[in-house]
Amino acid sequence: MSFEGILSGLEYAISIEGLLFVLIGVVVGTVIGMMPGLGPITAIAVMIPITYGMDPVSAMVMMAGVYYGAVFGGSTASILLNAPGTSSAVVTAFDGFPMAQKGDAGKALAISAIASTAGATVAIVLTMLLAPAMASVAVSFGPAEYFALLFMGLMLITTLSEGSTIKALISATLGFMAVTIGLDPQTGTPRFTFGTSSLLDGIDFLVVALGLFALAEVSHLIINRKFSRDKNEDIGSLKLSKTDFKEMSGPMSRHSLIGFFIGVLPGAGATMASFISYILEKRISKNPSEFGKGSIKGIAAPETSNNAAATGSFVPLLSLGIPGSGTTAVMLAALLVLGVNPGPLLIEDNPELFWGVIVSMFFGTFFLLLLNLPLIPYLAKILLIPRPLLISLVLIFCLMGVYTVSFSTFDMFLLLGFGVLGYLMKLVKLPAAPFILAFILGGMLEQNLRQALNISNGSLDIFLQSPVAITLIVISILSFVMPFILNRFYKKNNINTGDNK
Amino acid sequence: MQLTMNRILSLILLVISIVYIYLSFQLPSYAPAVIDSDAIPKVLGFILLGLSFLLFFDKKDTKMVVDISKKDVFYLVLTVVMIIIYILLLESVGFLLMTSSFLFIATLIYGYRNHLVNLIVSLSFTFIMYYLFNELLMVRLPQGILSL
């Protein structure tokens, strides 16, 4: 670990710029994350057009803030409305909402805020240790190893995603197909452009992210547009007693570690971490019957875990340049547009970015604690924004986001097309995350494969001779077996992982 | 044999994969390349073809039905139509007029009845965005008929 690097990151993080952008990030993330139906990918995609004029460090620090802010904010809606703001907060509603109904909403929010902070803080420290180590291993990777790594990331995310594995694979294949549209970067051959020049540059990932996520999620809001919260609801006291703290400390220490490692794994993100932690906590509990009725541990465990996992997912992104989830994939694509090439060399070439992002997470987490503890009664008022107003504002945000980046009405029509596609995919339960992931990784995957085979002159030996590549490919293939094991695990514990919205 | 939702979906995917494979075979070749630009698309096409077969015979979710009311479909289609009108007129009519009227009308259609608040939000949001992009981010938004 280089201390000079950490210092340069710290220098950025405590500068006025650094503090300002992390604050903007966490506030925007919390607010969007609180809106039921709008998830972290939407939050980041909406912010991307704004980052295009910024320097890469500030942009990345802000986007990271949006991500963990959204994970934080998602639980507020879970507790107050029983309508999770994000999928990673679905489990929080199991115990958070019953506690709120007993009149202890404030207590539930406080537990969630403290557990989230603990999870995030432990995970940041672990990230500082693990990310540089992983980067130093990956420095020697060539195209063959990168292909294997990308392949593994894609396979794991697909096979570990919720619901039907076949559908997740279909979604990933469609995403990969969408990215083959445009000029082939290696030979310059136009592919699937149907003779139009508008498609030569391919489809911008922002169009896909905003359409498939933001617009599709808005359609969910349009259907539920009548929903409104009772205005006179009181949150109650935010104070926790000593016994409450005692009860939280166990799950907080356990699940910050579990959540972090699940987050580092490609494919398993904050949502899965929260489910696994909840199940484990229930299993080791002395009285599992209190789970689901407003248990303190039932809130603390998933909240610690999902925030630790959100932080952990930055490890593969910053050290390998491989996104571990749909959300980090969108961030990766945004970084590439800003001219940063995330990979094992990032820590050497751009220590300010590498360490700036990690160190600023400490400040972001601190701001989130402030936002979520003393300010939560005011913040919760955001949930009172009338739905019709919210829907039209998000629609305009998406349209403007695309237009201000490409100045092309063609791209706006594409956005609409992807919005309709995203909505139809929701209807037939095709998950959207594998699509965006394959869309972003697909191009890199194809390039690395073809480069590797160019080096070996078409022979597959280049993969067989690399132990790293072989191991990774074997893991990817093994991952086909994992869903069956996980399904049995979920069934045994009577947890419904289907669409909980 | 019942035509469930998954089966309909798999038939659609089958058509997509066949069209995609056909188009992949039409791609021109580039001699010096070891792996030409048609290789990956062909593989992808056949993977999707295989997956659509698997989905057709998959026994999971066989009872799945699409649960959506006619009224909701109406609102979704209306949204699409409004967006199309917005895109078509944005460059000729201009950002200020189109955005403020889109916000006002859409909010009204989705059932918000406080017209004064609606008007204030629509106008102030539009002007703030216009100022932000034109003055701070140096992005020229289309002025249209309101040349300021």
Side-chain angles (χ1 to χ4, degrees):
Chain A
M1 207 195 298
S2 86
F3 285 97
E4 280 157 54
I6 298 176
L7 278 181
S8 75
L10 185 66
E11 208 177 315
Y12 175 80
I14 57 173
S15 68
I16 292 179
E17 221 187 320
L19 289 173
L20 181 68
F21 283 118
V22 78
L23 183 64
I24 295 175
V26 295
V27 170
V28 170
T30 310
V31 170
I32 300 182
M34 270 167 71
M35 305 295 172
L38 302 183
I41 297 190
T42 300
I44 290 173
V46 168
M47 292 302 277
I48 284 175
I50 300 167
T51 65
Y52 281 174
M54 291 164 50
D55 76 292
V57 190
S58 307
M60 187 61 201
V61 161
M62 189 170 82
M63 279 191 286
V66 170
Y67 180 30
Y68 51 79
V71 173
F72 230 98
S75 44
T76 307
S78 268
I79 291 167
L80 293 178
L81 306 179
N82 198 21
T86 55
S87 59
S88 58
V90 167
V91 191
T92 311
F94 291 178
D95 280 288
F97 188 62
M99 191 183 272
Q101 278 186 316
K102 283 186 214 158
D104 284 335
K107 191 173 149 189
L109 289 170
I111 295 170
S112 147
I114 292 169
S116 299
T117 309
T121 311
V122 172
I124 298 167
V125 174
L126 291 173
T127 303
M128 294 179 87
L129 298 172
L130 190 61
M134 246 163 119
S136 64
V137 172
V139 167
S140 60
F141 284 8
E145 285 83 6
Y146 257 92
F147 165 77
L149 204 57
L150 287 163
F151 184 66
M152 183 182 77
L154 197 55
M155 284 328 282
L156 283 182
I157 290 182
T158 312
T159 51
L160 291 181
S161 82
E162 295 159 20
S164 150
T165 309
I166 297 175
K167 285 194 174 171
L169 284 169
I170 288 172
S171 173
T173 316
L174 289 173
F176 203 153
M177 284 176 163
V179 82
T180 57
I181 295 171
L183 283 182
D184 173 13
Q186 277 189 311
T187 60
T189 318
R191 297 192 288 192
F192 314 109
T193 56
F194 304 100
T196 59
S197 58
S198 313
L199 281 173
L200 278 183
D201 287 334
I203 300 168
D204 194 325
F205 80 97
L206 187 62
V207 170
V208 181
L210 281 174
L212 224 47
F213 288 87
L215 279 190
E217 286 170 1
V218 167
S219 62
H220 178 79
L221 285 182
I222 291 176
I223 289 170
N224 298 303
R225 66 196 171 280
K226 295 262 162 63
F227 186 90
S228 71
R229 195 167 81 95
D230 192 3
K231 278 184 190 179
N232 302 318
E233 221 169 286
D234 194 25
I235 287 180
S237 165
L238 293 167
K239 281 207 177 94
L240 296 178
S241 67
K242 256 188 189 160
T243 42
D244 293 341
F245 271 111
K246 230 180 190 172
E247 202 166 332
M248 286 163 68
S249 61
M252 273 170 24
S253 48
R254 280 189 285 280
H255 297 292
S256 47
L257 290 176
I258 294 173
F260 174 76
F261 285 106
I262 293 175
V264 171
L265 269 182
T271 307
M272 180 172 287
S274 63
F275 271 100
I276 290 179
S277 285
Y278 187 81
I279 295 166
L280 282 179
E281 196 57 37
K282 192 176 174 183
R283 174 155 289 188
I284 59 171
S285 167
K286 279 181 199 121
N287 30 352
S289 60
E290 64 171 27
F291 278 73
K293 293 173 191 151
S295 149
I296 292 176
K297 286 184 174 152
I299 303 173
E303 277 304 300
T304 312
S305 190
N306 64 12
N307 283 279
T311 309
S313 68
F314 282 91
V315 172
L317 177 70
L318 291 173
S319 64
L320 307 175
I322 304 275
S325 63
T327 318
T328 41
V330 173
M331 268 188 259
L332 171 81
L335 274 181
L336 292 173
V337 174
L338 290 167
V340 179
N341 211 346
L345 294 175
L346 186 71
I347 186 169
E348 294 288 323
D349 295 348
N350 203 340
E352 198 194 21
L353 181 103
F354 185 91
W355 291 110
V357 171
I358 298 177
V359 176
S360 79
M361 284 179 180
F362 280 115
F363 295 94
T365 308
F366 177 70
F367 287 141
L368 279 172
L369 189 65
L370 281 185
L371 275 178
N372 282 277
L373 271 184
L375 299 179
I376 192 72
Y378 309 100
L379 203 64
K381 291 224 163 39
I382 289 166
L383 292 171
L384 294 175
I385 293 178
R387 284 278 170 94
L389 209 52
L390 178 71
I391 297 167
S392 23
L393 287 175
V394 178
L395 287 176
I396 283 295
F397 251 112
C398 297
L399 288 163
M400 273 181 73
V402 169
Y403 188 79
T404 52
V405 165
S406 67
F407 296 100
S408 120
T409 45
F410 178 82
D411 276 4
M412 288 164 91
F413 280 117
L414 268 183
L415 168 78
L416 183 61
F418 275 102
V420 173
L421 177 71
Y423 176 71
L424 294 177
M425 283 170 65
K426 254 185 203 286
L427 269 189
V428 299
K429 298 204 168 130
L430 277 177
F435 188 105
I436 189 89
L437 198 87
F439 184 84
I440 288 163
L441 291 188
M444 295 156 73
L445 195 78
E446 181 179 7
Q447 288 225 24
N448 278 294
L449 174 68
R450 286 162 71 180
Q451 268 170 21
L453 290 175
N454 266 342
I455 294 169
S456 70
N457 225 340
S459 150
L460 287 172
D461 284 352
I462 188 161
F463 295 108
L464 299 175
Q465 278 158 8
S466 157
V468 176
I470 283 234
T471 319
L472 294 175
I473 290 173
V474 167
I475 294 175
S476 333
I477 292 163
L478 277 180
S479 76
F480 276 104
V481 192
M482 275 298 283
F484 299 104
I485 300 169
L486 272 177
N487 266 344
R488 284 185 70 180
F489 179 68
Y490 285 137
K491 250 184 212 155
K492 243 186 191 167
N493 293 282
N494 289 322
I495 292 278
N496 174 24
T497 55
D499 212 17
N500 282 286
K501 285 171 189 168
Chain B
M1 178 146 308
Q2 216 184 343
L3 207 60
T4 58
M5 175 116 107
N6 274 348
R7 296 223 160 119
I8 298 172
L9 175 64
S10 77
L11 292 177
I12 297 171
L13 292 168
L14 188 77
V15 174
I16 295 176
S17 61
I18 290 171
V19 171
Y20 188 86
I21 293 170
Y22 171 77
L23 289 172
S24 319
F25 276 94
Q26 305 295 308
L27 288 174
S29 72
Y30 176 76
V34 178
I35 306 293
D36 206 355
S37 49
D38 60 344
I40 295 283
K42 280 176 187 162
V43 172
L44 287 175
F46 283 106
I47 289 176
L48 190 65
L49 189 71
L51 286 171
S52 55
F53 274 108
L54 279 178
L55 184 66
F56 193 87
F57 295 107
D58 189 25
K59 288 197 179 70
K60 261 191 233 159
D61 310 326
T62 44
K63 282 182 198 147
M64 198 172 67
V65 278
V66 173
D67 176 31
I68 178 166
S69 74
K70 275 203 179 122
K71 213 174 161 200
D72 289 335
V73 175
F74 170 75
Y75 275 101
L76 291 174
V77 171
L78 198 62
T79 307
V80 171
V81 172
M82 282 194 295
I83 293 177
I84 291 176
I85 294 173
Y86 179 85
I87 301 173
L88 287 176
L89 296 181
L90 177 67
E91 289 186 330
S92 51
V93 176
F95 175 81
L96 287 175
L97 273 181
M98 281 316 290
T99 306
S100 51
S101 45
F102 181 96
L103 283 174
F104 186 80
I105 294 168
T107 309
L108 192 70
I109 286 175
Y110 297 133
Y112 189 58
R113 290 285 166 251
N114 194 337
H115 305 311
L116 186 66
V117 173
N118 188 0
L119 192 69
I120 294 171
V121 172
S122 304
L123 287 177
S124 52
F125 178 83
T126 308
F127 277 99
I128 290 170
M129 280 296 141
Y130 188 77
Y131 176 78
L132 263 178
F133 276 94
N134 266 14
E135 305 295 326
L136 297 180
L137 296 169
M138 298 297 169
V139 173
R140 291 266 152 231
L141 291 167
Q143 301 200 321
I145 48 178
L146 274 185
S147 299
L148 296 175

